[in-house]
Amino acid sequence: MIKTLIKSTRLSWASKNANMYLLALTYAYFSVKPIDNPFEIILGLILVTVLWGALYTLNDLTDLDVDGRDRNKQNRAFIQNRVDQKFILSFFTILVSAVFIISFSILPAAFTLILSLMLINQFIYTLPPIRLKDTILAPFFSTATNSVLRLASCAVLLGNVFLVPLSVYIFMFLAGMGTYLMYKSKPKPASLVGIIGGLVIIYALLSGDMNTIQFAVAILPSFLAAIPLYLSLFTKKDEMFRLADILYHQVAMVFFLLCILIIIF
């Protein structure tokens, strides 16, 4: 049972958090802002990862019936091994409580506030009676908002949420929305969001809000995953999804963590 609960947290998906932390850290690095709290940043990344692990567990619990009918999701932990819901809820509660107790005790209040926003956003996205996941608003409150909050959580640990320019937040929001739409096999909206995102990134580059290295951090890992995701709209959907998962959640993860350690130490 413990193994099933841990599997439900999708620890390999921590690459999303590491990517946003690395991007925020590049702004401190290129502004020659001293990073005098490296262990706080590492702790912040760990807490965000644990919180999201708990939220993925909650998501799987609320989607049991739907996932059971979806052959692409039948390998999820609670589909393969049924676990009593009271144990799942206890596991979720313990993880979330631990995250907030540690954050409130050690890290800045602004960081804890952003953790709270992550929690609230996922609650209204996942849980009834609101459950935005089942509405046309879903693309705005899933990966899109979550990417912005992940990025902001590192920025506040660096002392200023606007250390990262507004145009970059907007771009990451659009990139997250485009990824969600591709996962949901909606090519026309995904293409439109991609065009708008392209215009925003061009503005960020021309205005100096982003340099070429930051562009690479923001774009290249997601772009590598986006290629098979886009191809999945037209051919071999299952194989393309698996390839995207390997490229972003496994290969890129090692690169992100190495770069983070180099910058903060």
Side-chain angles (χ1 to χ4, degrees), residues 57-153:
T57 297
L58 179 66
N59 178 77
D60 285 358
L61 174 61
T62 60
D63 286 350
L64 276 175
D65 293 337
V66 177
D67 291 349
R69 296 191 297 269
D70 188 339
R71 62 189 180 87
N72 294 318
K73 298 179 179 179
Q74 288 179 350
N75 64 338
R76 290 189 172 177
F78 300 148
I79 301 299
Q80 293 181 327
N81 301 289
R82 291 285 177 176
V83 178
D84 193 308
Q85 292 191 10
K86 68 181 180 182
F87 290 115
I88 299 174
L89 290 173
S90 296
F91 180 71
F92 168 80
T93 302
I94 290 169
L95 288 183
V96 171
S97 298
V99 165
F100 277 92
I101 289 170
I102 295 171
S103 177
F104 184 78
S105 302
I106 299 175
L107 298 178
F111 179 82
T112 305
L113 174 61
I114 290 176
L115 290 184
S116 300
L117 293 176
M118 291 180 184
L119 186 65
I120 292 169
N121 180 69
Q122 199 65 7
F123 276 177
I124 65 175
Y125 177 73
T126 304
L127 298 179
I130 300 176
R131 195 170 163 82
L132 293 175
K133 176 184 274 193
D134 297 332
T135 73
I136 60 173
L137 296 176
F140 297 92
F141 288 87
S142 57
T143 309
T145 299
N146 296 333
S147 295
V148 171
L149 292 174
R150 287 177 169 109
L151 185 57
S153 72

Side-chain angles (χ1 to χ4, degrees), residues 188-219:
K188 290 184 179 179
S191 298
L192 176 60
V193 170
I195 292 171
I196 298 172
L199 294 175
V200 173
I201 201 72
I202 290 172
Y203 168 81
L205 287 167
L206 294 178
S207 67
D209 285 352
M210 179 179 282
N211 61 33
T212 52
I213 293 178
Q214 290 161 338
F215 172 79
V217 170
I219 288 291

Side-chain angles (χ1 to χ4, degrees), residues 21-22 25-29 35 258-265:
Y21 268 59
L22 176 57
L25 284 165
T26 62
Y27 281 92
Y29 178 81
I35 301 174
L258 286 174
C259 291
I260 287 171
L261 293 175
I262 290 170
I263 290 176
I264 64 178
F265 290 111

